[in-house]
């Protein structure tokens, strides 16, 4: 049929068109059932190439490609091809082209081989007949023997094969044609001289059976024809077809004659064709295993089964990871023959030893398959071979995308094996397919894990999540755009019925448990019915904004709205919608809903407090500009908030207050510190005494973005406090004067002592000067005493003047021990008159305090006088008064005055420091109250405690300077 078709070009091209047409019709008939029916086009191309040669096959290839693109590639019945379908179309095109060329080439090769064989058989037949005729002529005419023999030699040497003659018993050649040297490279002399030349140069794999076949043919005295291999002089292998005739002498074989025809080219072509066929059939089997199931793990198992069968090996396996640095790896999959089970089970973690690590490094360093064992560049490690029970193996590294490399391998356990190049090429191709499958498996697992995480997040998150189908809404909006509607907002305002229809079009696909709780539903099914169940009139405005976002092509939308629960309770929500990017469908739109009802209420209350607070409240940014002010701040500065917001603080308050007070405190606040301060500041209403607190605001991060300031007008309070302080100062002065009146005798004594000493020293000096030889040294000593006593009297008078003065308090660095020592001389005489023993217990080293010396002296004198008066009626024990100072505990120094008097009445201890409270018959009740005010004005505290035995202790603590 092929020959008849090949005669007519029109018929050949008609076969191409007809085969494609029939394939298209069958595939279209099967297209609703299975899209793979389009592969029938490949069969049509293959048939055309086999029947009609290359050019019609190329025509069929082009028609098949066009038919696949038009009828079987989405979109169907159109030459427009989606980008995702291009790889499939390209693979089909390449495969169809290969089939066309291969089938046409196979046809031509088969025709050529058949023609050559026919010609060779004809020529051999002709030569054989001619040889028989020549032999007859030799018997008939001896005279013509030499000429005939010469013609025979010429004829034999001109033949394409090796014509030979040999002894039937020994098989030693007696004649070979000159073609022997051309075909095998050995000189004819060796053929004739070596008795076993033919056997010695047979291929080792063919020697035994070829010699046996030859001997059997001689024994049976019949002609025979067989093919075998011989080793040429250059070491190459030559395939020969030997046509042997047995020459009988009587009934016994005497000689053998034959022709050896070189069929190496044909054999190689057949081997290549068989190798290609084996490769294609093997890959087809692997492809069927890949396409036979949607379960990726089962598919990989089927591929290993196919590899085990194709290569006829003992084990096929897959190890993960192929990493020499890993501490261990796992046998992910394995297929074995029953007689050679694997050493390790699937899923078992195996430590990576030194030999295994070396093999892994070798495999990773190669870009293709790596054979181990006999006939390869890499020997199989002895310990590994013994442990695993293998004699040969071939492995390669697989690099799936998104994962670590695998190692794919085949093992031969029964016997050593040399892996052929064709097997290596097929193994590499199967490895590539496995790599693609592993990539798909990795992607599938990642997708499955992603879906699991998505479902976990969807169900477990505390935020309400709705999965909605907006596809019908999207289609309706697209239809409006097609009708020429350009402003969706205006259209929705003019057609409220369209908005209601659009709400109905939205299908709720799924909701999470948080949604069920938020909307007080019994189950998800109650929320899947319709959005109308949770919508209120305000919700429609937000829905219109969603449709506008879809019309504008936005990928996300966020807003606030009001919804209702299934029990009718209104909730304020913040919702976020994520729309898919075109051209993706709108059937899976995620909507997250957060209940912000409480937050809104808190915002309202916060805003209400901010606006109605009587204190001035404002917010200042890091650029020192006002961001927000309340009504009280507007009234203070007599300026509307619109003008204040945006102004710098120095523009409103003035440069000097800003530089000295506002800016340093704002900088501290921006550094994260809570700052408070008070002071007099200029305002449009005059100087005001303001108390301010700056609090850092961190709205989005740890960085302070602004400061919240709360300022209270304390002007009236400050003025009242100043008046009170003035009154207290006047009262303290009166008290000091009164106290000095009580200490008159003591003061007089303190002054009289140095004055009397001055008078005595002056009289003595006069007497010494009146002598004939004045004693000037003693006069000098007396005058020095006069100076010292004068200074003593001046110091007493100076202290009295200080206590009597009415100056403003002047605070300076003071040593508390010096203040105590200044008081002692003023009260010494009073102590003597009351028969009181004064003792000092002063700490050696003190940190200074910041205070007014006169006020602190007044406190000490008051406490000492109270202690002496408390011991006035004591007769049964010594009247002892102790003044102690103690080093700072923390940051305060302690001073205590301890007496041995009558003590403190527990019923009146809480009233001791109240104004006008006194336990003395003639007391005013102001001393302790003034003393406490003085100490508290110094930042300290004053208190009283009863002693364990007798009397009481009054103590005060003052902050030290660091």
């Amino acid at each position: 049929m092929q020959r008849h078709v090949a005669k007519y070009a029109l018929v050949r091209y008609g076969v191409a068109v007809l085969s494609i047409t029939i394939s298209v019709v069958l595939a279209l008939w099967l297209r609703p059932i299975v899209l793979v029916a389009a592969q029938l086009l490949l069969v049509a191309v293959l048939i055309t190439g086999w029947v009609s040669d290359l050019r019609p096959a190329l025509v069929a290839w082009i028609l098949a490609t066009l038919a696949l693109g038009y009828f079987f590639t989405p979109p169907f019945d159109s030459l427009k091809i989606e980008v995702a379908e291009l790889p499939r179309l390209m693979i089909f095109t390449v495969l169809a082209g290969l089939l066309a060329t291969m089938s046409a080439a196979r046809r031509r090769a088969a025709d050529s081989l058949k023609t050559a064989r026919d010609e060779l058989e004809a020529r051999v037949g002709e030569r054989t007949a001619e040889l028989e005729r020549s032999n007859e002529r030799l018997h008939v005419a001896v005279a013509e023997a030499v000429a005939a023999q010469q013609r025979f030699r010429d004829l034999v040497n001109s033949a394409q094969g090796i014509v030979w003659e040999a002894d039937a018993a020994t098989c030693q050649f007696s004649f070979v044609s000159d073609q022997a040297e051309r075909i095998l490279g050995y000189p004819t002399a060796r053929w004739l001289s070596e008795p076993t030349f033919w056997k010695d140069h047979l291929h080792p794999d063919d020697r035994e059976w070829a010699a046996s076949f030859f001997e059997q043919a001689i024994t049976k005295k019949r002609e025979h024809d067989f093919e075998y291999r011989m080793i040429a002089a250059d070491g190459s292998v030559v395939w020969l077809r030997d046509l042997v005739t047995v020459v009988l002498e009587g009934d016994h074989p005497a000689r053998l004659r034959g022709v050896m025809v070189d069929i190496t080219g044909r054999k190689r072509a057949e081997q290549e064709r068989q190798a290609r066929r084996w490769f294609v059939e093997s890959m087809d089997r692997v492809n069927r295993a890949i396409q036979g199931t949607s379960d990726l793990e089962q598919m990989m198992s089927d591929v290993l089964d196919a590899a085990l069968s194709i290569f006829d090996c003992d084990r096929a396996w897959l190890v993960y990871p192929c990493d020499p640095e890993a501490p261990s790896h796992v046998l992910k999959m394995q297929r074995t023959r029953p007689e050679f089970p694997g050493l390790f089970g699937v899923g078992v973690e195996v430590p990576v030893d030194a030999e295994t690590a070396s093999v892994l490094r070798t495999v990773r360093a190669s870009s293709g398959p790596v054979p181990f064992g006999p006939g390869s560049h890499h020997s199989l490690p002895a310990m590994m071979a013994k442990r695993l029970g293998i004699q040969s193996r071939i492995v390669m590294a697989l690099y799936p995308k998104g994962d670590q490399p695998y190692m794919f391998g085949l093992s031969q356990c029964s016997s050593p094996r040399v892996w052929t190049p064709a097997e290596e090429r097929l193994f590499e191709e199967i490895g590539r397919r496995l790599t693609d499958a592993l990539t798909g498996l990795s992607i599938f697992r990642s997708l499955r894990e992603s879906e699991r995480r998505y479902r976990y997040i969807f169900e477990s998150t505390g935020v309400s999540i709705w999965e909605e189908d907006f596809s019908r809404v999207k289609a309706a909006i697209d239809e409006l755009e097609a009708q020429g509607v350009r402003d969706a907002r205006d259209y929705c305002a003019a057609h409220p019925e369209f908005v209601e229809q659009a709400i109905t079009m939205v299908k709720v696909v799924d909701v999470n448990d948080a949604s069920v709780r938020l909307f007080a539903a019994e189950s998800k099914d109650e929320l899947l019915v319709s959005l109308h169940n949770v919508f209120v009139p305000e919700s429609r405005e937000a829905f219109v904004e969603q449709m506008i976002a879809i019309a504008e092509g936005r990928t996300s939308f966020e807003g606030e709205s009001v919804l209702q629960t299934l029990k009718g309770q209104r909730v304020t929500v913040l919702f976020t919608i994520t729309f898919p990017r075109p051209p993706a469908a709108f059937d899976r739109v995620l909507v997250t809903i957060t209940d912000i009802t409480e937050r809104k209420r808190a915002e309202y209350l916060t805003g209400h407090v901010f606006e109605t607070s009587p204190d001035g409240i404002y917010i200042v940014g890091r650029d020192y500009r006002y961001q927000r002010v309340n009504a009280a701040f507007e009234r203070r500065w007599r300026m509307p908030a619109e003008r204040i917001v945006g102004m710098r603080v120095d523009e409103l308050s003035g440069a000097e207050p800003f530089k000295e007070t506002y800016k340093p405190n704002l900088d501290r606040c921006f550094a994260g510190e809570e700052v408070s301060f008070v002071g007099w500041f200029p305002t449009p209403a005059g100087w005001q005494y303001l108390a301010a607190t700056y609090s850092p605001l961190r709205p989005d991060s740890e960085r302070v973005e602004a400061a919240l300031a709360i300022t209270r007008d304390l002007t009236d309070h400050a003025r009242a406090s100043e008046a009170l302080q003035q009154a207290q100062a006047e009262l303290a002065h009166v008290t000091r004067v009164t106290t000095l009146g009580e200490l008159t005798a003591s003061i007089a004594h303190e002054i009289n002592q140095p004055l009397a000493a001055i008078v005595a020293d002056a009289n003595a000096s006069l007497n010494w000067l009146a002598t004939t030889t004045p004693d000037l040294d003693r006069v000098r000593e007396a005058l020095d005493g006069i100076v010292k006593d004068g200074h003593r009297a001046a110091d007493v008078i100076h202290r009295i003047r200080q206590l009597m003065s009415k100056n403003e308090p002047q605070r300076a660095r003071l040593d508390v021990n010096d203040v105590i020592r200044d008081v002692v001389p003023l009260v010494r005489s009073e102590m003597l008159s009351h028969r009181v023993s004064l003792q000092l217990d002063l700490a050696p080293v003190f940190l200074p305090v910041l205070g007014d010396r006169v006020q602190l002296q007044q406190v000490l004198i008051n406490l000492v006088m109270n202690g002496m008066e408390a011991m006035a009626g004591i007769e049964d024990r010594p009247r002892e008064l102790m003044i102690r100072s103690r080093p700072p505990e923390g940051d305060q120094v302690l001073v205590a005055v301890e007496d041995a008097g009558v003590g403190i009445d527990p019923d009146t201890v809480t009233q001791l420091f109240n104004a006008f409270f006194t336990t003395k018959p003639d007391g005013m009740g102001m001393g302790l109250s003034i003393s406490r005010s003085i100490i508290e004005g110094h930042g300290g505290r004053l208190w009283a405690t009863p002693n364990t035995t007798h009397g009481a202790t009054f103590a005060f603590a003052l902050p030290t300077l660091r």
Side-chain angles (χ1 to χ4, degrees), residues 395-710:
V395 295
M396 71 176 294
L398 309 182
Y399 298 91
K401 295 180 181 177
D403 202 352
Q404 294 187 68
Y406 286 70
M407 184 166 67
F408 168 48
L410 305 175
S411 298
Q412 195 72 31
C413 305
S414 56
S415 60
R417 178 170 180 170
V418 177
W419 305 93
T420 65
E423 289 175 334
E424 290 186 17
R425 188 165 68 91
L426 178 60
F427 179 76
E428 183 175 10
E429 187 61 31
I430 295 176
R432 291 198 181 107
R433 298 298 176 88
L434 270 178
T435 300
D436 296 338
L438 287 170
T439 300
L441 180 61
S442 176
I443 294 173
F444 174 75
R445 286 175 176 169
S446 298
L447 180 61
R448 187 166 56 187
E449 178 64 19
S450 177
E451 289 178 353
R452 188 191 67 78
R453 289 197 301 268
Y454 166 76
R455 293 310 305 176
Y456 174 77
I457 294 172
F458 184 85
E459 293 297 343
S460 63
T461 184
V463 178
S464 172
I465 302 178
W466 295 54
E467 192 173 342
E468 300 175 357
D469 184 354
F470 271 77
S471 55
R472 293 178 61 194
V473 177
K474 172 63 173 167
I477 293 174
D478 291 343
E479 184 177 351
L480 290 179
E481 293 180 352
Q483 294 173 2
V485 176
R486 294 292 177 264
D487 194 327
R489 191 185 304 277
D490 292 344
Y491 184 85
C492 291
H495 300 82
E497 70 281 358
F498 174 76
V499 178
E500 293 297 325
Q501 294 173 2
I503 295 174
T504 306
M505 292 177 187
V506 177
K507 179 182 178 183
V508 181
V509 179
D510 195 7
V511 297
N512 65 349
D513 293 339
S515 303
V516 175
R517 294 192 298 270
L518 176 61
F519 291 95
E522 296 294 333
S523 65
K524 292 183 178 182
D525 295 336
E526 293 183 349
L527 298 177
L528 300 181
V529 177
S530 172
L531 289 180
H532 289 287
N533 291 344
V534 297
F535 269 29
V536 295
E538 295 93 323
S539 309
R540 284 155 178 78
E541 299 177 3
F543 187 80
V544 170
E545 295 298 327
Q546 296 174 27
M547 291 195 296
I548 294 171
I550 295 175
E552 293 176 352
R554 283 184 270 171
T555 57
S556 63
F557 178 73
E558 182 178 310
E560 294 183 6
S561 183
V562 178
L563 299 173
Q564 67 176 359
T565 67
L566 297 187
K567 295 182 179 179
Q569 182 180 358
R570 293 166 63 89
V571 291
T572 305
V573 299
L574 172 67
F575 64 90
T576 303
I577 303 179
T578 303
F579 298 113
R581 296 182 180 274
F586 276 65
D587 56 347
R588 297 281 180 176
V589 176
L590 285 182
V591 182
T592 59
I593 299 176
T594 305
D595 183 4
I596 59 172
T597 306
E598 295 301 325
R599 192 184 81 183
K600 280 294 183 182
R601 290 174 184 168
E603 288 178 356
Y604 169 77
L605 293 175
T606 302
H608 181 73
V609 170
F610 185 91
E611 293 298 337
T612 60
S613 173
D615 296 329
I617 304 176
Y618 56 93
I619 297 175
V620 178
R622 296 185 70 92
D623 56 356
Y624 307 108
R625 295 186 182 275
Y626 294 101
Q627 297 180 354
R628 184 179 177 184
V629 300
N630 71 342
F633 195 78
E634 292 181 69
R635 292 192 296 270
R636 177 180 299 161
W637 291 98
R638 299 176 182 178
M639 190 180 297
E642 292 78 10
R643 284 190 58 191
I644 297 176
V645 173
M647 294 178 63
R648 281 177 57 91
V649 176
D650 54 347
E651 294 174 354
L652 185 67
S653 63
E656 186 174 348
F658 173 76
K659 182 179 179 181
E660 294 180 356
T661 306
Y662 291 121
K663 186 177 184 302
N665 288 302
L666 283 172
D667 291 340
R668 289 170 58 194
C669 183
F670 292 148
E673 185 179 348
E674 189 92 12
V675 182
S676 298
F677 61 93
V678 295
W680 290 93
F681 299 95
T683 67
W687 286 85
Q688 292 184 344
Y689 191 77
L690 303 177
T693 301
Y694 289 165
S695 301
L697 296 180
R698 301 178 176 90
D700 299 319
S701 64
E702 295 184 357
R703 184 173 183 266
V704 178
E705 300 294 340
L708 172 65
I710 302 177

Side-chain angles (χ1 to χ4, degrees), residues 242-254:
D242 205 347
L243 307 175
V244 182
T245 301
V246 179
V247 179
L248 301 176
E249 290 184 357
D251 195 28
H252 300 285

